[in-house]
Amino acid sequence: MSPGGGRGTGSAAPPLFFAGDFDRSTGEAAKTFFSRQSEVNLSGSFGHANKIGYRTPEFGGFWAEASVSAHEKVAQIAPSGLPAGTKYVYDLAANWERGPLAFGAGYAKLGDNWDAGLRGHYTVGAIQVAGYYQRNDYDVVGTRNSVGLAAQYAFGASEVVANYIWAGKWSNMADSSAQQLILGYNYHLSKRTKVYAAYTVIKNKAGATYGYSAGRVNIDGVTPILGGDPRSVGVGVRHNF
């Protein structure tokens, strides 16, 4: 899709994804609790295929996007794992950026399942702060709220980042809330390339499984991992093309 307005077809990231992009330093780690129904593809896994969308021209820092994902007469899979029938996925988002401020809002819907999100980002000198709020309503598991806050301090070529994210319990699932803490460090080798290191810890309640792959089980090979507290350390290089 062109920044100046235009259509897009085929594979593309959903507008809701960008509305939820509240922390631009730690990347995907900060989206562990951010549910993205609009990314569920025809096989029930995450993807961006068979989609047509439109992005408006930019007016004074504001632009909007809309997309529809075709089902191709193949049954979709709802977030609960149940069939959602041959339904389209609808995705809408609006964003505004001007100077140190940025705001975004997004909405995605598949059948009776929907996500809605808000995000904000503010820069003052060497300090950046950001946050997001998301509301989900899915069949079987019910409704859920989640909130994320992030702060970054830059000095020289370095950046220190801290994130705190909270996901409330699903209304139909006991003890399904969780919290996440992310601490990170970035060092910019150039304008587009940086090296980074990050530490992440998730505290799951007894019925939550955040941070684990779907279907992950204990050493007995049968019992699902519930209430675990995964931790991870990552280092790498990121280059923006």
Side-chain angles (χ1 to χ4, degrees):
M1 302 180 193
S2 168
R7 296 183 298 275
T9 59
S11 297
L16 178 64
F17 177 89
F18 296 106
D21 188 19
F22 80 108
D23 172 23
R24 302 169 183 180
S25 296
T26 55
E28 286 301 307
K31 299 185 178 73
T32 301
F33 295 173
F34 192 83
S35 183
R36 294 166 286 189
Q37 174 56 56
S38 54
E39 292 188 69
V40 176
N41 66 20
L42 304 183
S43 64
S45 58
F46 287 97
H48 319 291
N50 300 313
K51 176 175 295 187
I52 183 170
Y54 175 79
R55 174 171 173 166
T56 69
E58 188 173 322
F59 302 98
F62 172 85
W63 73 95
E65 296 184 63
S67 67
V68 178
S69 296
H71 54 72
E72 304 290 354
K73 299 188 182 299
V74 177
Q76 300 272 21
I77 305 298
S80 62
L82 297 178
T86 52
K87 295 182 172 63
Y88 293 96
V89 177
Y90 300 96
D91 204 335
L92 301 170
N95 293 278
W96 179 85
E97 293 190 21
R98 176 63 66 89
L101 278 172
F103 296 100
Y107 177 80
K109 189 175 190 299
L110 169 61
D112 295 328
N113 306 277
W114 58 266
D115 305 308
L118 299 171
R119 60 102 176 173
H121 187 272
Y122 179 68
T123 302
V124 53
I127 299 173
Q128 296 185 49
V129 292
Y132 87 85
Y133 166 77
Q134 190 185 42
R135 174 76 171 179
N136 314 102
D137 190 341
Y138 296 162
D139 54 17
V140 181
V141 295
T143 59
R144 186 204 68 164
N145 299 300
S146 63
V147 176
L149 299 172
Q152 174 184 289
Y153 177 72
F155 54 99
S158 300
E159 297 168 343
V160 178
V161 185
N163 284 8
Y164 172 77
I165 308 168
W166 169 83
K169 70 176 290 293
W170 292 99
S171 58
N172 297 336
M173 295 178 63
D175 295 321
S176 56
S177 63
Q179 302 176 72
Q180 181 182 23
L181 176 66
I182 305 171
L183 300 176
Y185 172 77
N186 303 315
Y187 183 83
H188 290 265
L189 300 174
S190 68
K191 189 174 182 179
R192 297 191 298 170
T193 305
K194 69 179 180 181
V195 294
Y196 66 89
Y199 170 74
T200 303
V201 58
I202 295 176
K203 301 287 288 186
N204 283 309
K205 285 286 191 177
T209 61
Y210 291 102
Y212 293 105
S213 301
R216 186 79 177 271
V217 295
N218 283 294
I219 194 169
D220 61 9
V222 177
T223 309
I225 294 178
L226 296 173
D229 297 330
R231 295 170 172 82
S232 66
V233 176
V235 294
V237 178
R238 179 173 294 170
H239 180 78
N240 296 318
F241 292 95

